[in-house]
Amino acid sequence: MAPTVWTVTAVEPGRSFTWSTRSPGMTYTATHVIVPREGGVTATLSTAITGFFAPILGAVTLNIGRRYVVTATEGLKRRCEGATCQE
C-alpha cells in the first residue's frame, strides 16, 4: 500500500484517539481506546472503511489490514505497559 497521511480527528488524553485517512472513494478510520482495569488496562482498536470503494478495498486489503492491526496493537500494548497510568 502507498504511504498515506493520517489525521487525528479526536483525542481524549490518556483514554482514546481517533484518526483517519482519505483517498478517492473511501475513508479509513481507526479508534484506539484504553480502559484502566485492576492490574492493567484493556486496549480496544476498532476500524471502519466507508465510501463507494470500501467493499472492494476492504476485500483486497483484508490480510494487510490484519497485519497492520496486529502491529499497531502490539505497539500500543508496549506503550501502555511502559507508562504509569493514573485516573
Side-chain angles (χ1 to χ4, degrees):
M1 295 179 77
T4 187
V5 174
W6 289 78
T7 302
V8 175
T9 58
V11 175
E12 187 177 342
R15 300 256 184 220
S16 67
F17 68 95
T18 299
W19 53 348
S20 65
T21 188
R22 302 179 105 191
S23 63
M26 70 129 237
T27 299
Y28 185 90
T29 304
T31 301
H32 301 263
V33 178
I34 301 169
V35 178
R37 61 175 171 79
E38 189 173 328
V41 299
T42 298
T44 304
L45 168 62
S46 59
T47 61
I49 302 174
T50 58
F52 182 78
F53 292 117
I56 297 166
L57 182 65
V60 170
T61 64
L62 183 62
N63 288 330
I64 293 169
R66 284 183 179 152
R67 286 195 305 261
Y68 288 168
V69 166
V70 168
T71 299
T73 303
E74 288 172 350
L76 181 60
K77 182 178 188 288
R78 283 191 304 275
R79 172 79 171 148
C80 290
E81 289 176 342
T84 302
C85 297
Q86 296 183 23
E87 288 289 321

